[in-house]
Each structure stands twice: as structure tokens, then as C-alpha cells.
Amino acid sequence: MEIRHYITTAVAILVLQFMLFGFSRTLGWLFNLNPKTRTKLTIILFLLFNALIATAPLRLYAESFRVSALLLTLLLFSTFSSAIVGILHRFFKPWDNALKLLYPILFLGFIGLGLYNAYTPVIRHYQVKLDKPMQPLRIGMASDLHLGHLFGSTQLDTLAGIMRQEKVDIILLPGDIMDDNVNAYLAEKMQPHFAKLQAPLGVHATLGNHDFFGDQQRIEAEMRKAGIIPVMDESVVIDGRFTLIGRNDDLVKNRPTTAQLLKGVNTALPVILMDHRPTEIEQHANLPIDIQLSGHAHNGQIFPANFIVKLIYRLSYGYEKINQGHFFVTSGYGFWGVPMRLGSQSEVMIIDLVGH
């Protein structure tokens, strides 16, 4: 493990302790606990939360990561609520009882906003002009669906409706189609809903890291049954108009480089790359790639993680032109772990390409 990972882990542990201390202080204030009871509560919270978080990687039960993520999210929302109330308390101390009522309102408000952002997608439009002759092309891009128990048929129907409404020519899904496996997908009979995704030039996808957690063969098979075409470490020419390259996630250690995938590709045609993680954007900027579509980072999903992903990636969210290439990283259509977003929102990117 790299040194930066140790540093990040250490900082995260310290922040957790800070949030736990703030949470115990808040509970003590809300319920007028005496000092002895506050101390006992603080010790219990520290032991319980730290044990749950520390044992999550051991997967002692199936939903260990999801439960830990939910607890951390709620603790974070509590910290935000406590901070706001604490600032107000300094100036309006006589309003103590009113501020005690404000805390749960703020806490529930953060939860409501998080749910709204997770389940209410926005549509973001971009227009790019390539220095190549081409027919106008409208791409509908949605990454990181994470289809599972918390995100499924209803959201697929909504996505299909957006793509129809936007009259896209092609739908591209750059990775993390399923949430680790197809168990929930099959149990909740999502295939007819997934199959509603249709476009004149087809629906194409790559597999992301969550698609390569051991169930990739079934995931690929279920995608094909729904009419979704996996593009896995290969290039295909679409309708003679442009080349589409799809890369497997880098969990596949022997995957070819993008430069290798470009061998034999006619770069006189526009070249569109789907690469789930935006880790190699700077290298790709020096290759004959016109468009790259990525996801994975979720724009942090929950504030302040968006600042963390900005430190990790050259482009963690949005659009940037680097050299002659145009790079897009979406916040994703679904979510991971908890059905909440703060400082980010579920989205679909609509990208209009035109030539000279």
C-alpha cells in the first residue's frame, strides 16, 4: 500500500473520532445528561462505532460495508447539524430549547436532501466540435448504475424515458452496471426494464470494478440478454461512422493498454473511448482519442469526499479538453453503499458531437 493510502486512512480514523466526540456531546446537550452519563455514553459510542467500522473489511455479515457506510453517513450529517446548531448557540444561547428542536430538523433535512439527490437525476448537456468530418452524433451517457436492491427497475424506466426524450443516437454505459453481482437484478426481474434502453446505434457498455468482483460472467450474460452490448478490451466500428473502444476495469490486471487497443484502428474516424476509471486521462490525452467517457468517482457522492476525489484524479468530474481530446467524467446515475448524495447528484450526460 502506498504512503498516501496510509495517510488517508490515518486522517479518516482521526476524523471518525472527532465526529464521535461531537455526536456524544450533542446527545448530552439534547437530553441534559449529567457528566458521568455523558462519559459512559462517549465510551460506548467509541467502542461500538470503531468496532463496526474496523470489522467491515472482514465481511462478518453480507451487508457489513453498506451498514458501515450508512452509519458514517448519518454520523456526518449529525456533525453538520451539530456544527450549525453550535454556531447559532453561541449567538442565541437563551433560545436553547428552540435550538434543540432545530437539530433533528436539520438532521432529517440532510437525509431528505441526500435521498432527493440520489433518486432525482439531472440532465447535463455538452456540445463538442471535432476536427474531423462526421455526421452529428448525440450520445446519452450514464455510468455507475449499481443495479441492486436500492436502485433498480423504476430507475431503469426513468433512464429509458430520458434517453427517448433526448432522442439520443447511441447509449453508452461506462461501467459499474451491477452492484457487485446479479442476485438482486434477477430476484427483482429487472431485465424487461433494462431492455427498455434503446437507441438507433445501440446500447454499449463496459464493465467497472464492481462488475469484476467475481460475478462478471453472469453480469456480461445478463447484459446481452437485455440487448446491451459489452465492449470489453476491444474496438468496434459503429455504422461506419466512428470507432468505439471499451476497456475493462483495471481490476483486470492483464488488460491491454489503450495504445494497444488503438493498433489497427482507423483514427481518421472519430474515436470514442469508454474507460470506467478516469485514472489515465493524461496518458490518453497524448493518444489519438477524440472522446473519453468515464465515471467511477461519483463526484465524491457525499460532501466533502468530492474534494478528496479532486486530489486523486486530474479530472474527477465534468468536462475538460486536453490537447485534442475531450474528456468527460460523470457523477453517475446510481450510487454506491447508501442511497444518498450530498454535494453531488444523480445525472445523465447528453453529449452532442459535430464535425468540421
Side-chain angles (χ1 to χ4, degrees), residues 123 125 138-140 160-169 348 350 352:
I123 305 169
H125 289 85
R138 171 164 279 200
I139 299 170
I162 290 171
M163 296 303 186
R164 283 195 303 271
Q165 170 192 310
E166 294 295 327
K167 296 180 171 61
V168 300
D169 298 308
V348 176
I350 304 297
D352 287 302

Side-chain angles (χ1 to χ4, degrees), residues 69-197:
L70 177 61
L71 288 174
L72 286 172
T73 301
L74 295 177
L75 191 58
L76 181 65
F77 289 172
S78 172
T79 301
F80 292 156
S81 304
S82 297
I84 294 170
V85 170
I87 292 168
L88 291 173
H89 193 265
R90 290 178 64 89
F91 298 100
F92 304 102
K93 198 168 185 179
W95 296 6
D96 197 64
N97 289 332
L99 292 174
K100 286 181 179 180
L101 289 174
L102 179 62
Y103 169 82
I105 292 171
L106 287 172
F107 180 66
L108 293 173
F110 279 117
I111 293 174
L113 179 59
L115 289 166
Y116 176 84
N117 287 340
Y119 285 107
T120 309
V122 293
I123 305 169
R124 307 200 190 277
H125 289 85
Y126 298 86
Q127 185 166 2
V128 168
K129 186 171 184 179
L130 302 183
D131 191 24
K132 291 181 178 180
M134 67 174 296
Q135 298 176 44
L137 178 71
R138 171 164 279 200
I139 299 170
M141 194 253 280
S143 178
D144 298 274
L145 277 64
H146 288 274
L147 296 175
H149 291 296
L150 299 176
F151 200 87
S153 301
T154 300
Q155 289 70 40
L156 285 172
D157 290 346
T158 300
L159 181 59
I162 290 171
M163 296 303 186
R164 283 195 303 271
Q165 170 192 310
E166 294 295 327
K167 296 180 171 61
V168 300
D169 298 308
I170 189 170
I171 297 173
L172 299 178
L173 310 173
D176 279 2
I177 310 302
M178 303 289 176
D179 202 21
D180 300 356
N181 56 58
V182 295
N183 296 345
Y185 176 88
L186 294 172
E188 299 183 20
K189 298 179 174 58
M190 295 184 203
Q191 182 181 316
H193 303 273
F194 204 12
K196 289 180 183 179
L197 286 178

